[in-house]
Amino acid sequence: MRVLLTGSSGFIGSHIAEALGQEHEVIAADLRTGVDVRDPEALDRLLPGVDAVIHQAAKVGLGVNVADLPEYTSVNAYGTAILLAAMARHGVGRLVLASSMVVYGEGAYDCPRHDRVRPGPRRVEDLAAGVFDPRCPLCESVLSPSVVGEDAPPDPRNAYATTKLAQEHLAANWARETSGTAVALRYHNVYGPRMPRDTPYAGVASIFLSALLSGRSPAVFEDGGQRRDFVHVRDVARANVLALAAGRAGELRAYNIASGVPHTVGELAAALAAQTGGPAPVTTGDYRLGDVRHIVAAPAKAANELGFTASISFEEGLKEFAAQHELHSTSRNLTRTP
């Protein structure tokens, strides 16, 4: 299969390129190769003869503030619309889209009195008082987290999440109108080699590791009890390859791409500190209003329909992640030594 891969030089995209190269012909496209998905002429040069598109190009991170909204919308929503229109012009009928667990907002929760409920955004007064778990919208009880399935209603709560959901809606529209096949992979917390560092848009694993390699304690927000599903980037790349053979003509099908084994943010910080021999994490009690408390995936649909289950354990993946970044930092310091 001839596959156009957008975002091919990025953290996840570069791993997908390697995984695809074992079975498929890859057409690499991103800003480093001079291709912006918002440029119809560039896409018209690349799409003839292409069988499928894996769309990874995006502005990532949660967004720092409201000033980020135009750029997120331009790259993620408008860029995807331009790409889909070009695919329709050239008769490309298969799309694998990088989506995200952030489209859910908060994950799934149970109330001791009302069973499964959907909490609203956490209240500032609760966060300031150190009450970090959401409350039941019916009785104010503190809720217990559960796993979120693909049928959960979306509730995006920041610029990135909103534009990721917009991408899914645009892809569904394209699939209906062209009888194309669209698969949206809702990545959970992806980590691994080549993860960006030292940027406000970096993932939490990268932020913690940057601190440790600089001799500082990782600063863990809230009480460190936020539950996440950390999935290795090579597992994510494999899921993309599997998704090329999945889906149904005329619709979009979404899948959680996760390990199925949740860990807290505090556990992540402690594990990285142990791997690097760095200082112990510090729990700050600080919070960000755009953050959600718990988001843990139900991975069964991806297993049943894509044949995907994660193969790299949390312990194995973090050991490799820490070792490779330490090696990179050592090499960089040696290069800079007079």
Side-chain angles (χ1 to χ4, degrees):
M1 189 180 291
R2 197 162 191 244
V3 181
L4 174 65
L5 172 62
T6 72
S8 56
S9 297
F11 165 44
I12 298 174
S14 64
H15 287 275
I16 295 172
E18 291 174 357
L20 283 171
Q22 300 170 23
E23 305 176 36
H24 303 281
E25 180 185 355
V26 181
I27 310 301
D30 65 12
L31 293 176
R32 295 184 188 180
T33 65
V35 178
D36 189 324
V37 294
R38 295 169 291 184
D39 182 352
E41 293 182 0
L43 295 174
D44 285 338
R45 292 193 297 269
L46 294 174
L47 283 170
V50 165
D51 300 300
V53 172
I54 295 182
H55 183 32
Q56 299 291 309
K59 184 171 179 64
V60 299
L62 300 182
V64 174
N65 54 47
V66 174
D68 282 330
L69 285 171
E71 184 67 8
Y72 275 91
T73 302
S74 176
V75 175
N76 296 352
Y78 179 68
T80 297
I82 293 294
L83 173 63
L84 293 170
M87 290 173 64
R89 285 197 301 275
H90 293 278
V92 182
R94 182 169 289 275
L95 172 71
V96 178
L97 172 68
S99 188
S100 173
M101 54 93 173
V102 296
V103 301
Y104 297 122
E106 285 286 355
Y109 289 87
D110 293 321
C111 171
R113 293 177 56 191
H114 298 99
D115 300 321
R116 183 60 50 88
V117 295
R118 185 78 171 173
R122 294 180 292 170
R123 299 183 302 210
V124 173
E125 54 268 32
D126 279 344
L127 295 169
V131 179
F132 299 116
D133 286 307
R135 293 183 182 273
C136 175
L138 302 175
C139 70
E140 297 287 303
S141 297
V142 174
L143 299 173
S144 300
S146 184
V147 294
V148 61
E150 290 86 351
D151 58 351
D155 185 19
R157 298 188 178 185
N158 52 61
Y160 178 64
T162 300
T163 56
K164 277 296 168 185
L165 184 59
Q167 286 183 317
E168 289 195 16
H169 288 316
L170 289 165
N173 181 222
W174 165 84
R176 284 192 301 270
E177 293 194 15
T178 66
S179 296
T181 300
V183 175
L185 302 182
R186 292 174 177 170
Y187 302 156
H188 284 248
N189 287 70
V190 186
Y191 73 98
R194 305 172 207 155
M195 192 174 189
R197 286 178 53 197
D198 304 321
T199 161
Y201 303 97
V204 65
S206 184
I207 292 169
F208 287 166
L209 190 57
S210 291
L212 287 162
L213 296 181
S214 299
R216 295 179 284 110
S217 294
V220 180
F221 279 18
E222 302 186 13
D223 60 358
Q226 309 94 302
R227 297 171 80 237
R228 298 288 188 270
D229 189 309
F230 298 97
V231 59
H232 195 277
V233 66
R234 285 198 299 274
D235 279 329
V236 171
R238 183 165 51 84
N240 276 268
V241 177
L242 290 169
L244 286 171
R248 185 179 300 166
E251 66 180 58
L252 177 138
R253 296 183 74 83
Y255 298 92
N256 287 324
I257 301 302
S259 73
V261 182
H263 293 84
T264 68
V265 172
E267 288 171 346
L268 172 70
L272 286 171
Q275 289 289 348
T276 60
V282 174
T283 302
T284 66
D286 294 338
Y287 58 87
R288 297 183 300 186
L289 290 179
D291 287 349
V292 298
R293 178 60 172 172
H294 304 295
I295 179 73
V296 175
K301 186 180 177 184
N304 294 335
E305 298 187 16
L306 298 182
F308 170 77
T309 55
S311 63
I312 300 173
S313 70
F314 181 74
E315 293 76 17
E316 175 189 358
L318 286 186
K319 182 177 181 180
E320 177 200 27
F321 176 56
Q324 290 204 1
H325 276 274
E326 282 187 303
L327 179 63
H328 174 74
S329 294
T330 301
S331 300
R332 183 173 57 186
N333 290 337
L334 288 173
T335 302
R336 291 177 177 176
T337 301

